[in-house]
Structures are given as C-alpha cells and as structure tokens.
Amino acid sequence: MRSTEDLGSSHGWRLQRGVLDDGREVFVKSGDASEVFASEAAGLRWLGEAISVPAVIEAGPDRLVLSWVRQERPGPAAAERFGRALARLHRAGAEGFGAPWPGFIAELPMDNAPCDDWPSFYASRRVLPFARQARLSSSDFAALERAVERFADVAGPAEPPARIHGDLWSGNVLWSGGSGVLIDPAAHGGHRETDLAMLDLFGLPYLDRVLGAYREEFPLAEGWRERVPLHQLHPLLVHVVLFGGGYRDSLMRAVERVLAL
C-alpha cells in the first residue's frame, strides 16, 4: 500500500483505509492472528454469489483486505432494490443449516456444524451457547430454556435453508450504487426471517420499503411478524455477552413474547 488512513478500532481490530500501488482504494481490518478473517472472507465470497459485497483482495491470519465501498445517502428506490436483492440472496439457498467454515459474530466464535432442521440449529448452535456465556440469573436462564423448548412449535412452517448474512443490523448495510452492500457477515445457512428480524432490531432507513419489496420478490410465511422476537433472541444474547446487562431487559421481553406465541 502506498498510503493508509487510520479509521480507529472495533472489537479490538485496527481499521484502516488504504490505497494500493495500482490506485485501488481498500479497507483493511487487522489484529492478532485468528480464524475470524478467513471466516469473514469465506462468508463474503459466498454471499457475493448472489448480492453486492466488497471484493476480498486478501485474507490472511492477521488481516483482511477488501475493496473500498463508496457510500451514498439511502432513498426509497435504493431501499426497494435492496429488498429485492436480499430476497434473491435468501432464495439462493444453502446446502444445510450451518456452514463449512468456522463461525464468528464480532470476535465471538459460533458453532456452524450442520443440523437437520432450523429449530435444532438455532437452539443448539446459537441461543443456548450464548445463554451460557451471558451470566443470566437462574430465573432468567430458566425462562429462556422454556422458550427454547418451544422453538419447534413456534418457528412457523418449515423452510429450506436460506443463504443469510447472519448479523444483518443496519451498520452492516452500506448504501452504494443505488442499493445496499453487505459487510461483516456471520454468513451461514439459516432461516431467512433471522436477517429480517435483525434489520428490525436496530432499525434501517426505509425499512418498510425494504420489506415491501422483499415480500413482492419472495413472500413470507403467515405469522412472520409475530416471530420477530424469536429471531432476535440470539443477537440480544450476543449483546448481553459483549456489552453486559444493559441489554438484559430487551432480551427478557423477547423471551416473554416467544413464550406467549
């Protein structure tokens, strides 16, 4: 690289904007050697078969180099294009629930070993492992366990594995080229409602337009709105693990809503 600009840090990684010798602008994430960079690169390449993502230029044990995404302000038309693109991504599918690469969300490892059905995958690979790390009270943990026991009954009609981003909060959608570009995936074969629930959790500009276009492209099963709290259990647990008890009340409200389904 002929020049770099420091962009700060995130989850212990150093972030930089750089210019390569050939003039290409790049984004660089670096830190201690970890499987996280190879995992992110694998997820980006897989998602990139069906939706816009940064190009992976280099993925090493201690850094990841991606093409730079020039951002723009979102608008209704861009939101609708993104909704249709997200639907096509999900429809592209996956070989099973899970992924052939190690899973990470932020710096936290996730088990991507396959399961035969989504409720089992979500319980054993996502919710319960993070519940054990979240330092919940015994009563909170017991309530969450009761919710987990209901997953098979409240998950809605069975669907084939979707190709999902897996950590699709608004900060992982960059607006560029008249649509959304996905970054920082926790990509795997999962349930498509998980990505939509993540967009809803922290909000997204013109989310109603995104969802409307999505549903025109790939209609959702009846009751999907009521299932949003089910799909938010895992990201809320992740936030409890990463940032502490400030997210406990949101988590337990979601647990109560799942128990009421």
Side-chain angles (χ1 to χ4, degrees):
M1 278 183 283
R2 70 185 189 206
S3 66
T4 59
E5 173 189 353
D6 187 34
L7 301 177
S9 62
S10 175
H11 298 287
W13 300 309
R14 184 183 182 189
L15 309 179
Q16 294 175 296
R17 179 179 182 176
V19 179
L20 301 181
D21 289 341
D22 61 11
R24 286 179 294 169
E25 290 183 282
V26 295
F27 172 80
V28 183
K29 180 189 295 186
S30 60
D32 294 337
S34 169
E35 291 181 300
V36 68
F37 300 113
S39 175
E40 183 174 339
L44 284 170
R45 292 183 178 116
W46 187 57
L47 297 178
E49 295 173 3
I51 200 169
S52 181
V53 301
V56 177
I57 296 171
E58 179 188 333
D62 58 356
R63 74 173 183 175
L64 178 66
V65 182
L66 307 174
S67 61
W68 183 262
V69 178
R70 291 184 175 273
Q71 297 185 59
E72 60 197 24
R73 293 179 65 85
E80 290 175 4
R81 280 191 288 270
F82 174 59
R84 290 189 289 270
L86 186 61
R88 291 191 292 270
L89 170 70
H90 291 165
R91 185 173 270 151
E95 291 186 3
F97 295 104
W101 50 79
F104 288 88
I105 189 163
E107 70 269 30
L108 302 176
M110 295 192 299
D111 186 354
N112 274 344
C115 282
D116 292 334
D117 62 89
W118 181 77
S120 298
F121 176 83
Y122 191 52
S124 64
R125 307 288 192 259
R126 294 295 183 262
V127 173
L128 288 175
F130 285 84
R132 297 184 186 109
Q133 299 175 58
R135 299 182 180 179
L136 300 174
S137 69
S138 58
S139 60
D140 285 351
F141 190 87
L144 182 56
E145 283 190 312
R146 291 195 297 274
V148 169
E149 291 169 359
R150 303 205 65 220
F151 282 1
D153 297 325
V154 302
E159 294 196 0
R163 187 172 306 204
I164 72 169
H165 178 282
D167 188 16
L168 196 56
W169 71 288
S170 58
N172 285 341
V173 180
L174 303 183
W175 298 98
S176 182
S179 186
V181 177
L182 302 187
I183 63 169
D184 289 346
H188 63 279
H191 199 302
R192 61 195 179 113
E193 291 177 11
T194 297
D195 275 351
L196 304 183
M198 274 293 291
L199 290 176
D200 180 76
L201 185 58
F202 297 113
L204 181 79
Y206 303 101
L207 180 58
D208 58 333
R209 305 293 282 267
V210 172
L211 294 175
Y214 181 102
R215 295 171 66 194
E216 290 177 4
E217 184 80 21
F218 195 2
L220 291 158
E222 184 177 353
W224 69 273
R225 289 189 183 276
E226 288 71 29
R227 290 188 292 273
V228 165
L230 168 66
H231 293 271
Q232 291 179 344
L233 291 178
H234 176 239
L236 287 169
L237 278 165
V238 169
H239 278 71
V240 172
V241 173
L242 286 174
F243 306 117
Y247 286 92
R248 179 264 173 196
D249 289 349
S250 296
L251 169 66
M252 296 316 297
R253 282 194 296 269
V255 168
E256 292 171 3
R257 291 172 67 186
V258 172
L259 289 171
L261 289 174

